[in-house]
Amino acid sequence: MNGASLLTARRRKTILWIVLSMPLLWLAALVIQELRQPNSGLGPEPTEALLHYLGEWSLILLLLAFSVSPLRRRLNWAWLGQHRRLIGLFAFAYVCLHVLVYAGLYAQFQLTELLDDFVHRPYITAGIGAFIALSLMALTSTRGWRRRLKENWRRVHRLIYVASFLALVHLLWLRKDPGLAEAIYLLIFFVLIIERMFSHWQRRRSI
Ligand code: HEM
């Protein structure tokens, strides 16, 4: 990589950092407003508002991470592949905050309540499944783990299918009356799955 393209890669990384941090900065502004004047920033149900906001952005970033390979292939956006890890780690960070709000503000860190929810609320079980899959991917996303796991690294990172699927199950289970947003998330997921199947089929045909 020459100096010029390295600079562009760095610049792109900075822009991505700013863009991916925007929802968090906006949330921080809402929280500050809420602390100054209750019910103004997050509305009458601040915990629910936090949970929903972070959940929504977790899902959006997860689907964005899932889209990296198809976008790179179909639009020839090789540069996007260089930032796959960053996008994935941002998705993971949003999910961690979502889980933290749930465990801290919703369940008050009560282990019995957390376990009870895990067993009796299927949408929580699905959410935790997605969280475990994402945690494994985040943990093994470093160069060291890539070297150590060799061919198995790709297998571990196919957990993105499981994480995205379970995250959608989590959402559809808890929303009683799914609307346009849920239809769009599902459509994106199925388009991405079909593209991956098609590209797999194309690769096998060309061998
Ligand atoms: C990849 C993982 C996850 C994603 C993408 C995700 C996403 C979401 C989304 C989009 C919502 C709905 C927001 C709305 O209705 O506006 C939500 C709600 C919620 N999530 Fe998650 N979530 C994940 C994991 C988890 C985990 C691990 C837990 C708990 C251990 C959890 C607990 C909740 C709760 C309690 C709600 C609110 C339910 C309610 O409205 O009654 N989520 N999540």
Side-chain angles (χ1 to χ4, degrees):
M1 204 184 285
N2 62 34
S5 56
L6 187 69
L7 189 72
T8 353
R10 272 202 199 131
R11 216 177 268 166
R12 280 200 197 108
K13 196 172 174 180
T14 313
I15 294 171
L16 262 178
W17 258 95
I18 295 171
V19 171
L20 297 174
S21 308
M22 292 280 216
L24 270 189
L25 294 177
W26 178 243
L27 185 62
L30 292 180
V31 171
I32 292 170
Q33 198 181 328
E34 180 71 30
L35 292 174
R36 279 200 189 137
Q37 197 186 338
N39 289 342
S40 64
L42 294 168
E45 309 252 18
T47 304
E48 270 74 14
L50 272 176
L51 202 57
H52 290 194
Y53 183 90
L54 288 164
E56 202 86 50
W57 278 103
S58 302
L59 188 61
I60 292 169
L61 294 188
L62 184 56
L63 289 177
L64 181 65
F66 196 32
S67 319
V68 168
S69 296
L71 287 174
R72 189 174 47 99
R73 268 194 296 269
R74 301 294 154 197
L75 303 177
N76 266 333
W77 285 359
W79 61 270
L80 194 60
Q82 295 167 13
H83 305 294
R84 189 204 318 253
R85 180 167 182 251
L86 181 70
I87 299 171
L89 287 178
F90 257 97
F92 181 60
Y94 278 81
V95 176
C96 286
L97 289 173
H98 176 66
V99 173
L100 203 67
V101 169
Y102 159 74
L105 301 180
Y106 217 69
Q108 262 95 47
F109 290 117
Q110 301 228 339
L111 198 63
T112 44
E113 178 139 350
L114 293 170
L115 283 175
D116 195 58
D117 273 359
F118 177 67
V119 176
H120 293 114
R121 292 194 186 181
Y123 76 85
I124 295 277
T125 319
I128 289 179
F131 182 57
I132 293 172
L134 274 179
S135 307
L136 285 174
M137 290 169 65
L139 252 160
T140 57
S141 69
T142 59
R143 278 203 193 129
W145 274 104
R146 197 178 186 138
R147 253 198 321 271
R148 247 171 274 159
L149 291 174
K150 297 189 184 111
E151 266 311 294
N152 287 328
W153 190 86
R154 277 184 190 282
R155 288 193 192 116
V156 172
H157 283 254
R158 280 195 201 122
L159 282 172
I160 186 87
Y161 291 80
V162 179
S164 309
F165 174 74
L166 288 177
L168 282 170
V169 170
H170 171 70
L171 174 71
L172 294 175
W173 214 308
L174 72 90
R175 279 200 183 155
K176 303 287 176 287
D177 48 350
L180 184 64
E182 290 74 23
I184 292 173
Y185 293 142
L186 268 180
L187 182 70
I188 293 173
F189 178 74
F190 284 119
V191 167
L192 294 174
I193 293 281
I194 291 167
E195 192 283 337
R196 275 159 198 261
M197 282 163 60
F198 182 63
S199 110
H200 182 70
W201 174 76
Q202 273 184 322
R203 272 201 306 274
R204 290 196 64 166
R205 233 172 57 129
S206 62
I207 293 174

